[in-house]
Amino acid sequence: SFMSKDNKDGTYSIKYKTNVSGDYSMSIVSFAKHIMHSPIPLCMKGQRDIASVIIDKESNIRAVAGQRAMLRIIALDTFDNRQLSGGMTMYPEITLRSKTNRIIIKDPLREKERRKPLKTEVVDNNDGSYDIFYSSEFIGEYNVVIKYSDENKKNKESAPQQVKVKNGSFLRVQIVAAEVDRASCTITDHDFTAEAGIKHHFTIVTADKFQNRLDHGGVQIEAQAWKEYLPEGSDDVLLNFDVQDNDDGSYHIQYTGYISGTYVSEISINGVKVDALSQKLTILPGLTDPSACIFEGKGIERAKCGEHATFSIVTKDKFGNIPDHVNEKFQVFLQPHSHGKQVKGHDSNSTTRVRAKSVYSESGEYKITYLPRKACLHQLFVFYNPIKKRPGWSLVRQSYVTDEWSSSLIFKCTVDICAGKASAKNTSAKGNGLGGTLAGRPGVVTVNVRDMFGHPQLPEEDQELKAELIDKDGCSVGTTTVSQREGSANEFIVIYRYEGEGDHKLHITLDKEHIVRSPFPVTIQSNDIKGEGDH
């Protein structure tokens, strides 16, 4: 604005005003002609006090942890004119606005240090701009508050005034993580035990040297692992790894193993191995796969009544690993074959089951023992009850075993069970010879040999079937013979003969034990028939 005033004394007063600082040219014209020195150059300067500031585009609003950053502010007066000179004393205060949970290592001392205002340095550029240098090791968003005082004012004891940012916005800076530091990277999951065939994982979190977690991906993570112990000359056994970049500073490492054992892993970051991240991994055997089990032993082919029969079940998972758990359940029983051959003289309609005992021995092998009591063809059944929890594990295991396998039949075969060892307690005798005979004439007795369960059976080679005639004085008299009856599997003929008369006892023993009702009292009478013929 411009205003002139006639002073009535040959002079004129000229007043002018502008809100915009800068260089001007003022023209004064009288009677259409410039007066002397017109146009006159003018320099309009802004007010001394700072009304607000703006942020120069060269400022580092986003800085890297540990690096020196610069924030340049430009002072404006009330009319938004840039001040063209310096001379102001700046008091910047940069404090953490909000906590972040992206600190890898939780240290109370560092947390206390983190809350302190940042150390700053101010440089007056003497052109109305001021450079504020700052740095921090801690990531996060920081508030910036700037106060100033005028060194040229006479009253220097007045309190510093706070500077506002133009348009009323808040002045803030962001500290982000520096480059990845291998020594500061960590693993969040510490369970390195997996089951064969089941995918397992752990997470690697990348950080800078100040333990600030990176908020971006792009770091090259490589993982590999091989079996620690292998027989000499064997090929390496490796795990299958899959590395997924989550693009937030974390990397999901997923791996699968099929051969149980301990594996040595090697984790590298940007091509360099990191020992702190390279852990030993354990692959445990999976659940038993019935189709991979091995059944072996005489007990699945033949057995003898009264004698324990055994066979073994060698358990394996679907990958051939021997399971390391000992609380699996195998239910084993035998049942007489409904259409199988039966032992003569025994009930063929019996359906008595014989249960077996299962005992874990070692190396995934279960020893199955049963005691048969019926001589005939039997069907042997093996049922399997898979476990769902490994001892010490809190969660139900994921597994390839389905609920359809619960108490399922995994093995069936036919076992030929023969009669047991001949037993004197079940061996009996019959015949006229048990009552006695005539002097000089043979007494004949039929001995029916059976085992302890009543099955017809021949004595074994070490079992002697013996007959002996004993008189009243306990002496052996006469002659006795024992021979197997022709055409019979278990019957023997005992023949005794004695010339004397009187009461005697016939001892019939099997394996030195008396058979049923032995000794038998026999009476040898006078041979009257012989005397009448001679007369």
Side-chain angles (χ1 to χ4, degrees):
S1 62
F2 184 88
M3 183 179 67
S4 64
K5 181 181 177 182
D6 187 353
N7 297 323
K8 306 297 184 178
D9 60 359
T11 62
Y12 291 84
S13 297
I14 298 175
K15 294 183 179 180
Y16 57 91
K17 179 181 180 181
T18 181
N19 294 335
V20 180
S21 62
D23 293 328
Y24 289 84
S25 175
M26 183 174 67
S27 298
I28 302 176
V29 180
S30 176
F31 300 105
K33 290 184 178 181
H34 284 278
I35 67 172
M36 186 180 295
H37 304 298
S38 175
I40 302 171
L42 301 176
C43 180
M44 306 296 292
K45 294 183 179 181
Q47 296 175 346
R48 182 66 181 171
D49 291 337
I50 299 176
S52 62
V53 295
I54 59 175
I55 308 303
D56 189 79
K57 61 182 180 180
E58 295 183 5
S59 298
N60 302 122
I61 301 299
R62 183 180 174 91
V64 177
Q67 295 184 9
R68 193 166 185 257
M70 183 267 289
L71 181 65
R72 176 172 292 174
I73 61 172
I74 298 175
L76 304 178
D77 64 10
T78 307
F79 304 106
D80 294 337
N81 297 307
R82 173 174 175 169
Q83 293 188 354
L84 301 180
S85 61
M88 297 294 183
T89 302
M90 295 293 173
Y91 304 96
E93 185 177 278
I94 304 177
T95 56
L96 187 65
R97 174 174 177 262
S98 60
K99 290 179 63 177
T100 175
N101 59 356
R102 302 184 71 86
I103 301 297
I104 298 299
I105 298 178
K106 305 298 182 182
D107 187 343
L109 295 179
R110 286 176 58 83
E111 188 67 22
K112 184 177 180 180
E113 185 71 21
R114 185 180 174 202
R115 293 181 174 275
K116 293 181 179 180
L118 302 185
K119 293 181 179 181
T120 58
E121 178 187 350
V122 181
V123 175
D124 185 351
N125 297 320
N126 294 316
D127 60 357
S129 66
Y130 299 84
D131 292 341
I132 302 173
F133 293 93
Y134 65 95
S135 66
S136 175
E137 297 179 356
F138 307 102
I139 62 176
E141 190 175 44
Y142 291 77
N143 285 329
V144 180
V145 176
I146 302 175
K147 296 181 180 181
Y148 79 97
S149 62
D150 190 349
E151 295 179 351
N152 297 322
K153 282 188 175 182
K154 296 181 179 179
N155 186 14
K156 295 184 179 181
E157 296 180 355
S158 60
Q161 302 294 315
Q162 183 171 338
V163 176
K164 296 181 180 180
V165 180
K166 184 176 173 56
N167 298 327
S169 60
F170 293 99
L171 180 55
R172 290 171 182 159
V173 294
Q174 184 79 23
I175 305 293
V176 298
E179 293 183 353
V180 62
D181 178 63
R182 299 179 183 87
S184 299
C185 297
T186 59
I187 294 179
T188 59
D189 310 294
H190 297 282
D191 180 14
F192 303 109
T193 301
E195 182 182 338
I198 303 298
K199 290 183 178 180
H200 201 62
H201 64 86
F202 57 88
T203 302
I204 293 179
V205 177
T206 55
D208 61 14
K209 64 181 180 179
F210 307 109
Q211 287 82 49
N212 298 308
R213 174 173 168 172
L214 273 62
D215 60 355
H216 58 81
V219 178
Q220 183 182 358
I221 305 289
E222 295 179 345
Q224 59 179 338
W226 55 90
K227 206 166 186 299
E228 186 174 20
Y229 300 110
L230 283 172
E232 187 176 353
S234 302
D235 294 334
D236 284 339
V237 178
L238 306 177
L239 298 182
N240 297 327
F241 277 93
D242 179 34
V243 180
Q244 178 182 349
D245 187 347
N246 298 324
D247 202 29
D248 61 354
S250 66
Y251 296 80
H252 191 71
I253 314 296
Q254 196 171 59
Y255 64 94
T256 308
Y258 301 98
I259 306 301
S260 62
T262 302
Y263 290 76
V264 178
S265 69
E266 183 177 290
I267 307 297
S268 61
I269 296 180
N270 291 337
V272 179
K273 177 185 176 183
V274 182
D275 292 331
L277 302 179
S278 302
Q279 305 289 330
K280 285 190 176 182
L281 312 176
T282 301
I283 301 297
L284 298 176
L287 291 178
T288 296
D289 182 358
S291 63
C293 291
I294 300 174
F295 299 82
E296 55 188 9
K298 293 182 179 180
I300 59 175
E301 298 176 357
R302 64 185 66 86
K304 182 180 288 188
C305 286
E307 296 183 6
H308 286 94
T310 61
F311 66 93
S312 62
I313 303 176
V314 180
T315 57
K316 293 186 178 182
D317 65 10
K318 65 186 301 183
F319 306 107
N321 302 306
I322 296 177
D324 60 344
H325 34 81
V326 299
N327 57 346
E328 291 185 305
K329 294 183 180 179
F330 290 93
Q331 292 182 339
V332 183
F333 65 85
L334 292 90
Q335 180 172 305
H337 203 299
S338 57
H339 302 290
K341 68 178 183 178
Q342 304 290 332
V343 175
K344 185 177 180 180
H346 202 81
D347 181 10
S348 62
N349 295 322
S350 174
T351 58
T352 303
R353 290 184 176 182
V354 179
R355 291 194 175 274
K357 183 179 180 182
S358 172
V359 178
Y360 183 81
S361 55
E362 59 182 7
S363 301
E365 182 177 350
Y366 289 80
K367 185 178 181 181
I368 311 299
T369 304
Y370 63 91
L371 182 65
R373 299 173 180 271
K374 180 179 175 62
C376 66
L377 289 179
H378 281 65
Q379 283 186 316
L380 184 145
F381 302 91
V382 179
F383 288 85
Y384 171 62
N385 293 321
I387 61 172
K388 291 297 182 180
K389 293 179 69 176
R390 186 183 296 278
W393 285 28
S394 59
L395 299 178
V396 176
R397 304 165 70 196
Q398 295 179 341
S399 180
Y400 49 85
V401 175
T402 65
D403 291 337
E404 297 177 357
W405 284 12
S406 297
S407 300
S408 61
L409 178 66
I410 62 171
F411 182 74
K412 182 176 73 172
C413 68
T414 299
V415 182
D416 185 4
I417 298 179
C418 62
K421 190 174 183 180
S423 172
K425 294 180 180 180
N426 283 343
T427 298
S428 60
K430 64 180 179 177
N432 294 331
L434 293 179
T437 185
L438 299 177
R441 295 289 183 91
V444 180
V445 177
T446 302
V447 179
N448 189 291
V449 181
R450 291 182 178 268
D451 65 8
M452 64 181 299
F453 302 103
H455 303 115
Q457 179 63 296
L458 284 173
E460 296 183 359
E461 292 182 359
D462 59 345
Q463 291 181 301
E464 181 183 11
L465 181 61
K466 183 179 179 181
E468 192 174 16
L469 190 63
I470 305 297
D471 63 11
K472 292 181 178 181
D473 298 327
C475 298
S476 177
V477 296
T479 59
T480 56
T481 60
V482 179
S483 60
Q484 185 175 0
R485 184 176 180 177
E486 186 177 353
S488 175
N490 69 312
E491 289 187 344
F492 289 78
I493 303 299
V494 175
I495 300 176
Y496 64 92
R497 187 193 303 267
Y498 184 51
E499 298 295 339
E501 301 177 3
D503 294 330
H504 300 75
K505 288 187 177 182
L506 178 62
H507 290 233
I508 302 178
T509 59
L510 176 62
D511 199 15
K512 298 180 181 181
E513 291 186 15
H514 286 280
I515 68 172
V516 178
R517 296 174 60 190
S518 174
F520 302 96
V522 295
T523 302
I524 299 178
Q525 300 178 359
S526 169
N527 193 344
D528 295 336
I529 298 177
K530 178 179 178 181
E532 292 176 358
D534 293 339
H535 182 74

